[in-house]
Amino acid sequence: MSTELGKIAAKARTDGKLRFTSLTHLLGPEFLKETWKQMNRYGASGVDGETIRDFEKDLDGRINDLHGRLKAGRYKAPPVRSVDIPKGNGKTRPLGIPTVEDRLVQRAVARILEAIFEADFLDVSHGFRPGRNPHQALSALRKCIMTGKVRYVFEADIRGYFNHIDHGWLMRMLRTRVADPKILRLIEKWLRARAIENGVVTIADEGTPQGGPISPLPANVYLHCVLDTWFERVGKKWFRGEAHLIRCADDFVVCFEYKRDAELFHRSLVEGTGKFGLELAGEKTRLLPFGRSAREDIAKVGEKLETFDFLGFTHVCGKDRKGRFAVIRVPSKKSIRKFLDRIKQWLKAHMHWERRNQQRHLSSMLRGRYQYFGLYHCTAKLADARVAVQRQWAWAIWSC
């Protein structure tokens, strides 16, 4: 079945306007079993309380039954279990947890859509794509600042992006490539799936449910059409100088050579996002001088350049050990605060564990942080985080 996906991907690359009318037949028992092997074995249960192990007890029977309902168009998307997870500054964001069976179907459909839309996605996009990750986005950003004619950086934030995606626009975008009615109906069912939180049922009329395997791809398609395509194929024709867009999911920054180009982009972005039901967060959207030339200009008047945050890192115009210009990246204050808050919440919920098991889990959380933030200038901040975790653990033990 992977060969079938390869054929679809090849057709999508060959013909950029081809619409796929027959895709449901791919959701056969073999494809579903193959998809099952790729699923997260530690995912939480949905509203029905069923676990991965429960579903796996009669895997062949469950998959055959599921295939029959999908083939007949009788599959119904069950409600998702809604939970709030910490976002920082005391805020939370909703996360929808589908049932195990629904996760399987979502992942299977996501694989099919991924094979099609990967042919369309541009190199400026790095989030939730096979073979791409945030570190590549960070590397691309550093490269364009270090080697390009960058004098300004425009950073923006779309207010509640995942919660404000317009369903009508999204389906129109998906239909440019997908014409299979059963696949489209499945996506519409997931977009409008009921959410249950503390016994209260809500139905969304906009936004994409976060937490399911299908949610990242439609969100990527939306910004591909709203932002990426416009920037690369329209905006660059207007700009006088260099301009580079770097996007990872809904986080993005744009590097410019000229201030006029950045201001033109800002006006167009406000208009374009508004047309598609989105809104820029004014307090988090700004244009700042940044880069080699900007650093030299600011130094002449005895001032310092501002910094900006992207993907958990604070970016600073500095110098390397030989005194040459360099982009310095260190963990941002926000990312440090969120990590320590997560440690604190985990300790509160797991003080009944044995000390040895607590140590193992805390070490695992620290290793994950080291792996993401393990850049040259981050050593001191990572050491500080380790000391802070030790203090929190000691305080939690003492408080028991």
Side-chain angles (χ1 to χ4, degrees):
M1 295 309 298
S2 296
T3 303
E4 291 294 324
L5 288 183
K7 292 179 180 178
I8 289 175
K11 289 181 179 179
R13 287 192 298 268
T14 303
D15 187 350
K17 295 183 178 180
L18 178 63
R19 299 178 72 226
F20 293 84
T21 57
S22 179
L23 297 170
T24 310
H25 71 279
L26 293 173
L27 298 173
E30 291 183 14
F31 186 76
L32 292 172
K33 287 180 183 178
E34 184 181 290
T35 303
W36 177 259
K37 296 176 182 178
Q38 301 177 6
M39 289 184 57
N40 177 15
R41 289 292 187 272
Y42 303 99
S45 57
V47 293
D48 59 358
E50 185 178 46
T51 65
I52 290 284
R53 289 185 178 180
D54 294 335
F55 190 91
E56 216 165 19
K57 289 177 182 177
D58 183 23
L59 185 61
D60 290 340
R62 294 293 298 272
I63 284 182
N64 288 330
D65 174 68
L66 175 59
H67 169 245
R69 283 180 284 139
L70 288 169
K71 186 176 181 180
R74 293 185 288 105
Y75 181 79
K76 295 182 179 179
V80 298
R81 182 167 65 89
S82 182
V83 296
D84 291 326
I85 61 174
K87 188 179 177 181
N89 292 328
K91 298 180 180 179
T92 61
R93 66 181 177 92
L95 194 69
I97 303 176
T99 62
V100 174
E101 181 183 74
D102 199 45
R103 283 208 298 274
L104 173 59
V105 182
Q106 287 191 29
R107 180 67 192 121
V109 172
R111 290 179 65 197
I112 297 172
L113 296 180
E114 195 175 81
I116 296 171
F117 284 99
E118 269 298 309
D120 298 338
F121 290 157
L122 304 177
D123 286 340
V124 300
S125 169
H126 298 270
F128 300 115
R129 293 180 57 188
R132 290 176 176 255
N133 55 56
H135 278 178
Q136 291 174 330
L138 291 163
S139 178
L141 174 60
R142 184 179 185 276
K143 181 179 179 180
C144 78
I145 295 175
M146 291 288 292
T147 63
K149 301 175 182 179
V150 175
R151 300 177 68 94
Y152 295 92
V153 169
F154 179 85
E155 61 170 337
D157 181 81
I158 299 176
R159 198 185 305 277
Y161 170 64
F162 290 95
N163 297 328
H164 293 99
I165 292 176
D166 183 274
H167 290 175
W169 276 114
L170 175 58
M171 294 308 299
R172 286 175 63 180
M173 295 168 185
L174 292 172
R175 288 190 183 99
T176 61
R177 283 302 225 162
V178 179
D180 186 318
K182 290 184 179 179
I183 294 292
L184 292 171
R185 277 199 296 270
L186 276 174
I187 297 171
E188 288 179 328
K189 289 177 181 179
W190 287 321
L191 289 175
R192 296 171 181 157
R194 294 170 296 163
I196 300 179
E197 182 177 13
N198 298 325
V200 179
V201 180
T202 57
I203 301 177
D205 55 2
E206 63 176 357
T208 60
Q210 299 180 64
I214 193 68
S215 57
L217 193 135
N220 251 348
V221 169
Y222 206 78
L223 275 186
H224 165 76
C225 296
V226 174
L227 177 62
D228 303 353
T229 304
W230 179 91
F231 183 88
E232 291 294 311
R233 298 175 184 173
V234 179
K236 282 192 172 181
K237 294 180 181 179
W238 296 352
F239 303 146
R240 287 177 11 191
E242 283 190 15
H244 306 274
L245 168 67
I246 300 96
R247 180 174 71 83
C248 187
D250 62 323
D251 293 323
F252 66 94
V253 293
V254 193
C255 301
F256 290 98
E257 181 179 358
Y258 297 122
K259 187 176 183 180
R260 170 193 170 277
D261 291 342
E263 292 171 342
L264 173 62
F265 171 74
H266 189 185
R267 291 194 298 270
S268 301
L269 183 63
V270 171
E271 181 180 344
T273 52
K275 176 183 176 181
F276 292 97
L278 303 175
E279 178 189 3
L280 292 182
E283 68 279 7
K284 297 181 181 179
T285 300
R286 62 178 181 147
L287 176 66
L288 65 151
F290 201 89
R292 188 190 311 273
S293 299
R295 183 174 179 272
E296 293 172 355
D297 294 342
I298 291 293
K300 291 177 182 178
V301 295
E303 297 181 4
K304 291 184 178 180
L305 286 176
E306 293 183 71
T307 64
F308 69 92
D309 293 348
F310 183 58
L311 299 179
F313 288 87
T314 295
H315 292 68
V316 183
C317 280
K319 297 180 180 179
D320 62 16
R321 287 181 291 182
K322 295 183 179 180
R324 299 171 300 191
F325 171 79
V327 178
I328 309 300
R329 297 167 295 180
V330 295
S332 67
K333 292 180 180 179
K334 181 179 179 180
S335 70
I336 294 171
R337 184 175 62 250
K338 287 176 66 175
F339 175 69
L340 294 180
D341 285 346
R342 188 156 61 91
I343 293 289
K344 184 177 181 180
Q345 294 300 320
W346 186 88
L347 285 170
K348 282 184 178 180
H350 296 85
M351 285 312 298
H352 59 285
W353 280 24
E354 293 183 2
R355 299 291 181 261
R356 182 178 299 176
N357 293 333
Q358 288 178 353
Q359 182 186 28
R360 288 173 180 168
H361 189 84
L362 291 173
S363 296
S364 175
M365 295 176 77
L366 279 169
R367 280 196 301 272
R369 186 163 181 83
Y370 296 157
Q371 289 171 1
Y372 184 79
F373 289 98
L375 301 182
Y376 177 74
H377 294 96
C378 298
T379 305
K381 293 288 186 181
L382 292 177
D384 291 344
R386 182 176 183 274
V387 172
V389 170
Q390 290 175 328
R391 288 175 177 171
Q392 284 195 9
W393 188 27
W395 175 258
I397 293 174
W398 181 83
S399 301
C400 287

